[in-house]
Amino acid sequence: MNPFLRPCRFVILAALACSFGWIQAATISVQPGEDIAAAVAKATAGDVIEIARAQYRTNLLIDKPLTLRGIDRPTLSGGEEGDTIRVTAPDVVIEGLIVRDSGSSLKDQNAGIYIRPGAHRAIVRNCDLTYNLFGLWIEKADDVLIEGNRITGKRDYSSSQRGNGVQLYNTKGARIFNNDISFVRDALYVDVSHHAVFRGNKLHHSRYGTHYMNSYYNLWEDNDTYYNRGGLALMEVRNQIVRNNRAWGNSDHGIMLRTIQDSVIENNVVAGNNRGFFIYDVEYIQLTGNLVVDNVVGVHLAAGSTRNAVERNDFISNREQVRYVGSRDERWGTKEGNHWSNYLGWDRDGNTLGDVPYEANDMVDSLTWRYPSIKLLLASPAVQALKLVSQQFPILRMPSVVDPHPRMQPGNNQWRDWLGKHFPGQ
């Protein structure tokens, strides 16, 4: 072989080895009493830093692609100053750590882990983030994975002085899976963030379980929001899919839809809230297959919310099924109908659909708004007769949600399991 070609061959093989992972990343161990920042400075891109179980006081900057891995769950404390960990490089993995004690500056957005602009593809998994102002602040970083973490805020702070559990700002492609988030301002705050997936999270004891603003093409699936002021709030958004979630026991609303278009809200359980759905300025959505049970108000509908397909939902045992504010009737269930537990009609032809329309806002509903004590008599024959009279004399009626042929039986046979799931003290 030509001796001048041999060095070139070795250079090519070395490049191929790097490309295919033949050269293994180094593992650097940090033992109790040692400096994690020194290990980060020593490491090269792709290295793994393993941290032994101990407590470390640090405000750590990760400025190169690394894996930071805890062995037996070591604790990194920020000493209540600044960010405990700040990530500025892409492809950083943080796993198996207890990250705590960030600073308390809302102006500086102090966080347990702050993922800075450009830190794309960051992974934070199986960590405890506790007593931080913001658990995770993720800004202009795409394709992040936040999975299997337990996040709690500064519980001794008032709600307005806390940060959010996970804050997404101006991101794309985030995946937020199987996290337990509590005692923060909003468990998930999503602003100008698109094409994200939120799945399997438990969000509780906060202001909002989730607060969406100006975000598009997101999937919200199989999450639990409970014991918050509000469960899920979708505001100024479009092209959302919200399915198979459970919003229960929230002191205000279960699911808020405010100024939202072109979205699918399906197969959710909304139970034991003050208002099950709060729907305001909503158009062109599909609201299908949801169980709305045992709320004070099943649906609060206002501000011209129209041109929506509302089918196959079960409205059961809500003290007030629909509170409707509008100038004309709103027709729901025109194709398949919805089930209403207080429907007084009949099904003579046995096709499982009622023969007379259901009207949500009748004379009795109007009276109960003005005189709440009437609710004590809702089951009495006199009040039921008044409902029938109001149907026969249109001059007495007011604009209403009208379901032309309501379903006689509920589609969800487990609705009884959701009775009594109220906010503590209500």
Side-chain angles (χ1 to χ4, degrees):
M1 176 180 293
N2 188 326
F4 294 103
L5 296 178
R6 187 175 293 112
C8 295
R9 186 180 67 173
F10 287 137
V11 169
I12 294 171
L13 287 174
L16 289 173
C18 291
S19 299
F20 290 97
W22 297 346
I23 297 177
Q24 296 297 315
T27 298
I28 302 171
S29 296
V30 178
Q31 297 302 314
E34 295 181 349
D35 186 357
I36 301 174
V40 171
K42 175 183 174 182
T44 59
D47 285 352
V48 177
I49 298 176
E50 293 188 341
I51 304 171
R53 181 181 177 89
Q55 181 155 330
Y56 302 84
R57 167 67 178 88
T58 186
N59 295 98
L60 187 64
L61 173 64
I62 304 179
D63 57 358
K64 61 192 74 171
L66 296 172
T67 294
L68 200 67
R69 177 178 300 147
I71 305 301
D72 297 327
R73 306 195 73 73
T75 298
L76 278 61
S77 172
E80 300 191 41
E81 297 179 1
D83 306 319
T84 304
I85 300 175
R86 177 171 289 195
V87 180
T88 61
D91 300 303
V92 169
V93 178
I94 300 172
E95 57 188 8
L97 302 174
I98 299 172
V99 181
R100 58 174 301 139
D101 304 329
S102 79
S104 299
S105 173
L106 289 169
K107 177 182 177 182
D108 296 329
Q109 303 161 179
N110 293 156
I113 302 176
Y114 199 138
I115 299 176
R116 298 285 295 174
H120 305 305
R121 298 175 298 280
I123 297 174
V124 179
R125 61 188 172 207
N126 301 329
C127 292
D128 284 351
L129 295 99
T130 185
Y131 208 71
N132 301 296
L133 189 66
F134 291 85
L136 279 151
W137 185 291
I138 304 166
E139 181 178 356
K140 298 180 182 178
D142 297 338
D143 301 312
V144 301
L145 171 63
I146 310 300
E147 182 175 27
N149 304 286
R150 183 183 299 274
I151 302 172
T152 56
K154 293 181 181 282
R155 295 179 58 165
D156 53 333
Y157 285 31
S158 65
S159 176
S160 62
Q161 295 303 309
R162 298 174 185 171
N164 302 315
V166 175
Q167 173 115 10
L168 287 174
Y169 174 68
N170 203 357
T171 70
K172 296 178 182 177
R175 292 166 294 160
I176 313 295
F177 297 159
N178 302 317
N179 302 283
D180 189 308
I181 309 176
S182 61
F183 296 101
V184 290
R185 183 177 14 173
D186 298 339
L188 292 176
Y189 191 95
V190 183
D191 191 12
V192 199
S193 293
H194 315 307
H195 300 283
V197 179
F198 303 87
R199 181 180 293 125
N201 301 287
K202 297 183 182 301
L203 314 170
H204 53 101
H205 295 93
S206 300
R207 183 182 68 169
Y208 287 135
T210 294
H211 195 168
Y212 273 17
M213 295 284 292
N214 306 302
S215 299
Y216 312 133
Y217 303 103
N218 294 322
L219 170 62
W220 174 261
E221 182 175 53
D222 193 29
N223 302 281
D224 284 272
T225 54
Y226 58 95
Y227 294 167
N228 306 289
R229 186 184 310 170
L232 170 61
L234 299 175
M235 304 172 67
E236 306 285 345
V237 299
R238 64 175 183 266
N239 298 104
Q240 307 290 310
I241 297 176
V242 180
R243 66 188 179 203
N244 299 330
N245 304 286
R246 297 155 295 277
W248 53 275
N250 297 288
S251 65
D252 188 356
H253 63 267
I255 297 179
M256 174 195 292
L257 307 175
R258 179 167 180 171
T259 314
I260 172 175
Q261 297 87 31
D262 303 314
S263 297
V264 175
I265 317 296
E266 63 182 5
N267 301 330
N268 303 284
V269 174
V270 185
N273 308 282
N274 187 51
R275 294 180 290 180
F277 279 100
F278 177 41
I279 301 176
Y280 184 98
D281 186 27
V282 172
E283 295 181 300
Y284 305 111
I285 71 166
Q286 298 177 43
L287 192 75
T288 58
N290 301 285
L291 171 61
V292 185
V293 57
D294 198 20
N295 303 280
V296 176
V297 177
V299 179
H300 188 169
L301 183 68
S305 297
T306 188
R307 292 182 284 273
N308 301 303
V310 184
E311 304 283 352
R312 293 186 290 104
N313 302 284
D314 296 330
F315 299 96
I316 300 175
S317 296
N318 302 291
R319 296 182 205 174
E320 187 178 324
Q321 297 280 43
V322 178
R323 179 173 294 176
Y324 175 55
V325 181
S327 59
R328 63 185 66 183
D329 285 351
E330 185 65 32
R331 293 174 67 83
W332 286 2
T334 56
K335 294 182 179 179
E336 299 178 87
N338 302 281
H339 174 73
W340 306 87
S341 62
N342 61 336
Y343 177 58
L344 298 178
W346 51 85
D347 175 23
R348 288 178 177 171
D349 57 6
N351 68 348
T352 73
L353 300 177
D355 296 338
V356 295
Y358 172 82
E359 295 188 7
N361 283 25
D362 58 17
M363 182 192 304
V364 174
D365 291 328
S366 178
L367 289 172
T368 55
W369 293 358
R370 295 184 181 183
Y371 309 105
S373 59
I374 290 179
K375 292 178 181 179
L376 297 173
L377 304 174
L378 284 181
S380 69
V383 171
Q384 299 302 316
L386 191 59
K387 280 181 171 285
L388 290 173
V389 168
S390 67
Q391 294 173 4
Q392 301 303 316
F393 294 91
I395 194 171
L396 299 177
R397 74 185 297 276
M398 58 190 297
S400 176
V401 167
V402 178
D403 194 327
H405 296 286
R407 302 167 74 89
M408 299 300 292
Q409 298 296 327
N412 191 319
N413 295 323
Q414 282 74 49
W415 62 267
R416 292 180 182 83
D417 297 340
W418 290 98
L419 297 175
K421 304 284 189 180
H422 301 129
F423 190 84
Q426 283 193 336

